Amino acid sequence: MSSSATIYDPLAEAQELREQLGSDRRRLALLLGAGTSQSVGLEGIAQLTANIAGDLDSSSKASYERLLSTGRQRTVEDVLSAVRLCRELAEEDPNAEVLGLKADTAGELDRAICNVIRKRVDIEPPKGLDPFITLASWLSFVDRSSPSELFTTNYDVLIERALERLEIPYFDGFVGSVEPFFLPACVEAEFGRKDESIYPPRSWVRLWKLHGSINWKLVPGPHRGHRIIRAAQSRAEPQDELMIFPARTKYSDSRKLPFVTYQDRFSRVLGSGEVMLVVLGFSFGDDHLNDIIFRALRHNNRLAVTVLRYAPLKDATDTLPAMAAELRNLTVYGPDEAIVGGVRGSWGKPSKEAPKDRGQWDFWDEAANNFTLGDFQSFAQYLRSFVGVRSPVAETPVVQVMKA
């Protein structure tokens, strides 16, 4: 798949994306990965992995570093998966050791790691909340016949803060007010007479946190077992069982419940006829989600997926470029190259100069000759000036749209 023969016009592609985002023909879904939170200064997985050990006590630190150093290059999420496998196997025999951990020490390590993650991501974003506020404002501005579906792998609560700051109603699968509890039936519901009693209003944004959240806790249930609640604040005690990152093992059903339910929702949305999925800040490092996306692309030819990639395509080591060559309904816009309809090409210059009051297009870096929408900050600016969005700071909401 050569890129030398094909040149893409950044302006034409930006306009095409604008038309798709503004169209009501397709159901709209977005997948936000860690790159969106990194764009406002939060730590990504690599940084978290490196920094967590320094916040653990000596015993937990030793176990964490030992598990981190085994096998291939590992992340904190790999360590959590290993620790939870240890808990599951060791709980069958309190005296058994798995990977050097007993059930009680594995549980302590699991809780300690999750509490450090909460501490490190539950901060005021150093670069501000503006991109998330812009996205939230745009989601409320777009009038669609079906609700907008926002999926995210982020543990932080930045998008919730943005939605609530603008008083935009959303639904995340939890109901109640004192200790909101997870209710799968509402996540699984669709618009129609059968589910009308539990289906949230169409205008509400759907927010599905595929990898959990720093304010989810596993607590004893009213009868047997456990239930998942969403805390009003993300503060946690050392003994709290935080629901961060899905276990890839059998583990307990109560721990798997929200993750499996959300993944089923993701798969069902992508398979539901005319759908557009926009992917931002997601590095395709989660094989399970990759499988859901690629399988849906193969089986639903009315699904269109647009990936706004931050890293250069020429340096790609993942499977995304190869999949985009095979699947015509998968479009990838990288900073250096694009893959559209299975054809890989490089970027040319925009076919039209940007308005003088802007200096350059919000999707294009003139100096570097790069398409910039893979940067969440740039995408937010694109929504503000090129697509059209209600201004989140004006006393009276206004629409800003730049004509191409």
Side-chain angles (χ1 to χ4, degrees):
M1 183 175 60
S2 173
S3 62
S4 59
T6 303
I7 304 295
Y8 287 110
D9 175 8
L11 176 59
E13 298 303 321
Q15 289 174 323
E16 174 63 24
L17 179 59
R18 177 176 65 181
E19 293 301 316
Q20 293 186 37
L21 291 174
S23 172
D24 191 36
R25 188 169 63 90
R26 286 191 172 109
R27 188 174 185 175
L28 176 66
L30 292 95
L31 173 59
L32 303 186
T36 58
S37 295
Q38 286 179 267
S39 75
V40 295
L42 267 62
E43 294 178 337
I45 292 299
Q47 292 172 299
L48 278 174
T49 300
N51 293 334
I52 277 174
D55 291 341
L56 295 171
D57 62 34
S58 57
S59 176
S60 294
K61 178 180 179 181
S63 297
Y64 173 78
E65 291 181 333
R66 177 171 54 80
L67 292 172
L68 191 62
S69 64
T70 58
R72 60 178 176 81
Q73 184 176 358
R74 298 168 71 83
T75 70
V76 61
E77 293 182 342
D78 295 318
V79 173
L80 281 173
S81 291
V83 168
R84 288 164 183 172
L85 177 59
C86 293
R87 292 184 73 175
E88 179 189 352
L89 296 177
E91 281 173 358
E92 298 179 4
D93 180 357
N95 296 316
E97 284 194 7
V98 181
L99 297 178
L101 296 174
K102 291 186 176 181
D104 57 347
T105 54
E108 291 171 4
L109 182 58
D110 189 344
R111 289 187 290 272
I113 291 172
C114 288
N115 270 284
V116 172
I117 291 174
R118 175 202 56 78
K119 173 185 173 183
R120 300 197 71 89
V121 305
D122 186 26
I123 61 173
E124 192 67 29
K127 298 181 182 178
L129 201 59
D130 283 356
F132 288 93
I133 289 177
T134 297
L135 177 64
S137 181
W138 176 70
L139 288 173
S140 72
F141 169 62
V142 177
D143 184 20
R144 293 181 176 272
S145 57
S146 58
S148 298
E149 308 261 354
L150 182 54
F151 298 88
T152 179
T153 59
N154 297 339
Y155 320 129
D156 58 64
V157 291
L158 297 184
I159 187 62
E160 292 98 318
R161 288 177 57 188
L163 289 164
E164 291 176 16
R165 184 173 297 183
L166 298 182
E167 298 183 352
I168 296 169
Y170 67 93
F171 178 67
D172 63 355
F174 289 79
V175 297
S177 60
V178 178
E179 285 188 339
F181 58 95
F182 182 69
L183 190 63
C186 290
V187 180
E188 296 163 352
E190 291 288 354
F191 183 72
R193 184 175 298 276
K194 178 175 71 73
D195 293 330
E196 64 183 7
S197 64
I198 56 173
Y199 192 75
R202 175 176 61 84
S203 59
W204 288 26
V205 173
R206 273 42 169 183
L207 175 61
W208 314 122
K209 305 195 76 170
L210 296 164
H211 282 185
S213 183
I214 58 173
N215 62 344
W216 292 3
K217 298 180 184 180
L218 186 71
V219 300
H223 306 293
R224 289 184 176 183
H226 295 81
R227 64 174 179 165
I228 314 299
I229 66 167
R230 172 167 42 75
Q233 297 181 352
S234 56
R235 289 196 297 271
E237 300 298 329
Q239 69 273 16
D240 284 340
E241 294 275 0
L242 301 184
M243 299 297 293
I244 295 176
F245 192 67
R248 299 307 188 197
T249 63
K250 293 180 181 179
Y251 214 20
S252 66
D253 289 340
S254 58
R255 292 177 185 273
K256 290 182 64 177
L257 181 62
F259 304 114
V260 171
T261 305
Y262 288 162
Q263 288 167 5
D264 287 347
R265 176 79 184 191
F266 190 42
S267 180
R268 197 165 65 250
V269 166
L270 297 188
S272 61
E274 296 280 354
V275 184
M276 179 183 185
L277 173 68
V278 179
V279 180
L280 276 159
F282 181 67
S283 63
F284 285 81
D286 185 316
D287 291 337
H288 189 69
L289 295 183
N290 294 352
D291 183 61
I292 292 175
I293 294 170
F294 297 144
R295 186 172 66 248
L297 281 162
R298 289 190 177 97
H299 291 93
N300 181 11
N301 58 15
R302 293 186 293 168
L303 167 66
V305 176
T306 297
V307 178
L308 302 177
R309 186 182 177 98
Y310 182 81
L313 272 170
K314 66 180 180 181
D315 299 332
T317 57
D318 54 48
T319 61
L320 183 60
M323 298 306 297
E326 173 191 341
L327 301 166
R328 299 293 181 103
N329 48 347
L330 171 59
T331 297
V332 181
Y333 293 135
D336 55 336
E337 295 178 311
I339 306 173
V340 182
V343 179
R344 187 166 180 167
S346 55
W347 292 111
K349 296 284 188 180
S351 56
K352 184 178 177 181
E353 290 186 1
K356 292 182 179 179
D357 62 335
R358 302 298 302 177
Q360 65 179 15
W361 293 110
D362 295 311
F363 51 80
W364 185 248
D365 184 334
E366 192 71 37
N369 288 323
N370 277 351
F371 194 76
T372 62
L373 292 190
D375 183 325
F376 189 45
Q377 296 270 2
S378 176
F379 181 75
Q381 181 58 38
Y382 168 79
L383 290 179
R384 283 193 293 268
S385 66
F386 200 75
V387 176
V389 63
R390 292 187 188 277
S391 170
V393 296
E395 292 184 6
T396 302
V398 297
V399 177
Q400 302 175 355
V401 180
M402 177 176 290
K403 300 293 185 181

